[in-house]
Amino acid sequence: MQNPNSAIERVKNHLAYKLGQAMIDFASNGGGYCHLFKKLYEIKKQHKKEQKIYQQTIQVFPQLKYPNLETCSDYEQALRYKFHLSYMLGEVLIKADKTWYKGGYFYLYRDIIQAKRDYDIVKNLHIDVKKLKNKEKFLKNYNLIKEILNLHKDYKPILNNIFHNFDFFIQHFNVIKPWLLSDDFYYKYKKDNHPYPSLLDPKKLNDENEKINYKNIPAELAWDMNLPLPDNYKLVWLIHPATASIAIEFFLRLIEIKFFLNPWIPAKKIYSGNYLFLRKSFGIIVLFSNYDDENIKFLYLIQGCKTIFTCTRDPISLIRHFLNHINRHETYKNITLAMKKFNLSHRFNFPSIVVLCSSKENPEVESIRKLLEYNTNLSIHFQKFYFTTQKRLNILKRYNKIENIECLEIADINKENAFNTFTRLAKKYGFTPPNDPIPFQGRVNRNQGDLIYLPVILYAHPYDLTNFNIEDSTSICDLKDGVSIIITTHQIHPKKEGFVDITKEIFNNRKLMFDNIILLVKSNEYEALKNNQELFLASKKYLNDYMDALEKHEQKIKDNLITEEQILGYLKDKKDLRIKLKRILDEDLTYVKEHHPKYLQKWKYYQEFEKLCEND
């Protein structure tokens, strides 16, 4: 009995396959035509009987209905069986039987010869036939397209592209043929065996006067046809994790650079997002650091890049960042509504954090082994995500005429230098220079758990001046005419129009642990707060007490963070891990070593690591 969840078994149970297999067995073993006709008749009769029983069964037991063939896990492999000679011969026989009254059997011999020729055509193409979604259309148009197929018979990537998009290929053959026969196609793609050749001429895609251009091709189809992204961009930002990428994103937006950024979706959707963005807007392309098959393809579909922007840092500090990195999803679960909005009677509550590597509240230096051993999901994620800069550079440099690589070092974007750095970049590349240095002067990234719960709101209401019940949320839920005091940072709220900054009034000359924390009140509520001195003073006391508790909570997180010294100490007697890490770093720092050796010289922890490895 066939397995209903196996597409291969079900295709081999098709009448065409069974009839054709019987014809092939006859050709191999003989036995007389009468015996063959009897065998074919019995196969057909038994097949109809099985189909009738199946239909009767599912009428009584509908839950036994077979799933759609396309949903089977081996569906694509099963498509190959439709191109077996047995299946193609069976189709010819079925066609003759269906058209017997029109003389179908008179043409059977001719059709069998043609089926064998068609089988030889497909077999000699040396392609993955599962990509041939429309066998009949292909064979019907073979004489039209055989020149291209013969010319590119040894260039499988373009054959796969053609067959995967065969309907589009045939429909627009007159546009595609000159491109695939051109010298431009040869030198741009075929000569170097480019793995993702475009089915359309990229030069013409940017011209809206062309019949087929970026404006009228859907993003999903563009990805399937390997179309390069529209060239409507200034530079490519090559993100390197743990090198202040969140801060850089924030600073780029401050100088009014436009881009599509959603790294936590599949590469195909990232391509689609950039494709749609660049059809409408001028900006930059953001390349996240994932290095799987789809993301590698995305890299190959960037072909107009002249300038690359990236940032680097001491790799031991990078590892420190990863070891201390929180699991955002699990940590956010610990942030309650009472932590986000509270009144003057509420106690101070802060969420516990969950660290990604350790899966605990505190990071562990022993997690380094998890990162460097290939038998864990965490290590695969780390190595395909964190040390991919040189691999991505190699692809971009191979297929783009790179004129400049703007490689920053982490110190260029610290709070002392960020404003000047992005002012320089804005002027150099024609973007809007910033005019307010304050948003550049504080920590943006909160991936170590610091201030992860901000912004929060203190709802100051006269009701709570005499309310001491810490469980009472009446003022928040039911009472109006209170004042919402937002505890936030310059980076979370860089634009403050419509707000009054009351930080200095509340904290006076107090030295805060986080000098970027601010208190904002809506302009129309500020006067109400000032006019009620009892409420103002109560709010001031509460906020100072809240800040005491916040800083105590944050200091505890800070005290538990892994340091570079701990990492080097752990690696000191772990030769196997040092060798693995050095091999990774040697590859990923190739560009930096060649073009920015001064960076390596200032990375003291990396220098210490190199000394540890001297005798390995």
Side-chain angles (χ1 to χ4, degrees), residues 495-510:
K495 296 181 179 180
K496 304 173 182 66
E497 294 84 358
F499 290 93
V500 176
D501 185 342
I502 64 169
T503 310
K504 291 182 179 179
E505 291 184 69
I506 297 297
F507 296 129
N508 296 333
N509 294 320
R510 172 176 177 168

Side-chain angles (χ1 to χ4, degrees), residues 406 408 412 419-429 433-434:
E406 191 79 46
L408 302 181
D412 293 324
F419 179 74
N420 290 334
T421 295
F422 283 87
T423 298
R424 175 181 66 81
L425 292 174
K427 291 178 178 178
K428 182 175 180 179
Y429 295 106

Side-chain angles (χ1 to χ4, degrees), residues 219-467:
E220 294 76 12
L221 180 59
W223 169 269
D224 289 342
M225 296 194 299
N226 301 337
L227 304 189
L229 283 173
D231 60 6
N232 196 30
Y233 59 93
K234 177 75 74 172
L235 54 85
V236 170
W237 174 22
L238 206 61
I239 286 183
H240 193 312
T243 53
S245 54
I246 292 177
I248 292 173
E249 175 193 354
F250 175 70
F251 297 151
L252 289 175
R253 295 191 190 279
L254 288 179
I255 60 175
E256 299 182 16
I257 293 180
K258 296 180 180 180
F259 49 85
F260 173 84
L261 178 57
N262 188 348
W264 306 116
I265 57 177
K268 182 176 181 179
K269 291 188 176 181
I270 296 176
Y271 169 91
S272 297
N274 277 280
Y275 181 87
L276 296 172
F277 162 71
L278 293 172
R279 290 201 313 189
K280 299 176 181 178
S281 305
F282 180 80
I284 69 172
I285 295 176
V286 180
L287 285 178
F288 216 60
S289 57
N290 304 40
Y291 200 74
D292 52 29
D293 289 343
E294 273 202 351
N295 279 281
I296 291 171
K297 173 178 177 176
F298 185 26
L299 287 167
Y300 280 105
L301 299 186
I302 296 174
Q303 295 179 14
C305 175
K306 295 181 180 179
T307 301
I308 293 174
F309 169 69
T310 189
C311 184
T312 189
R313 76 184 299 180
D314 188 320
I316 305 303
S317 296
L318 185 152
I319 294 171
R320 173 189 60 78
H321 177 89
F322 190 79
L323 291 175
N324 293 324
H325 200 297
I326 64 169
N327 183 324
R328 281 181 167 269
H329 179 71
E330 294 301 320
T331 300
Y332 280 138
K333 287 181 181 179
N334 297 329
I335 301 176
T336 65
L337 291 176
M339 294 176 188
K340 295 295 289 182
K341 189 172 184 178
F342 39 83
N343 60 32
L344 291 169
S345 64
H346 280 184
R347 68 176 120 195
F348 314 126
N349 287 313
F350 305 96
S352 58
I353 65 170
V354 180
V355 176
L356 182 64
C357 289
S358 68
S359 299
K360 300 176 182 177
E361 187 171 353
N362 297 325
E364 297 174 339
V365 70
E366 293 81 7
S367 297
I368 294 174
R369 184 167 290 280
K370 294 180 186 178
L371 304 184
L372 297 176
E373 290 183 340
Y374 285 91
N375 58 348
T376 67
N377 291 332
L378 192 64
S379 66
I380 293 171
H381 168 79
F382 179 67
Q383 294 177 44
K384 285 190 174 183
F385 190 74
Y386 267 71
F387 292 108
T388 65
T389 298
Q390 189 60 42
K391 294 175 182 177
R392 292 177 291 149
L393 266 178
N394 291 341
I395 294 174
L396 291 175
K397 290 169 71 174
R398 183 176 179 182
Y399 293 106
N400 292 271
K401 295 180 180 179
I402 307 298
E403 298 174 355
N404 180 39
I405 297 179
E406 191 79 46
C407 183
L408 302 181
E409 202 273 333
I410 196 74
D412 293 324
I413 52 177
N414 62 22
K415 65 180 184 178
E416 288 80 19
N417 299 321
F419 179 74
N420 290 334
T421 295
F422 283 87
T423 298
R424 175 181 66 81
L425 292 174
K427 291 178 178 178
K428 182 175 180 179
Y429 295 106
F431 297 106
T432 305
N435 53 28
D436 183 3
I438 292 178
F440 292 85
Q441 295 174 356
R443 184 176 174 85
V444 180
N445 188 323
R446 296 184 284 168
N447 284 335
Q448 292 180 164
D450 42 324
L451 305 181
I452 194 70
Y453 38 84
L454 295 187
V456 299
I457 295 175
L458 167 63
Y459 189 65
H461 194 282
Y463 172 86
D464 294 309
L465 293 175
T466 55
N467 172 39

Side-chain angles (χ1 to χ4, degrees), residues 1-44:
M1 183 178 179
Q2 66 172 330
N3 178 2
N5 295 307
S6 170
I8 292 176
E9 288 190 33
R10 288 169 60 183
V11 168
K12 290 174 74 173
N13 195 51
H14 285 181
L15 180 59
Y17 189 91
K18 291 188 288 188
L19 292 174
Q21 191 61 52
M23 295 169 71
I24 292 174
D25 291 342
F26 168 75
S28 300
N29 303 321
Y33 284 103
C34 289
H35 177 74
L36 172 63
F37 293 147
K38 180 181 178 182
K39 179 70 173 176
L40 294 174
Y41 173 76
E42 289 175 350
I43 290 172
K44 179 182 176 182

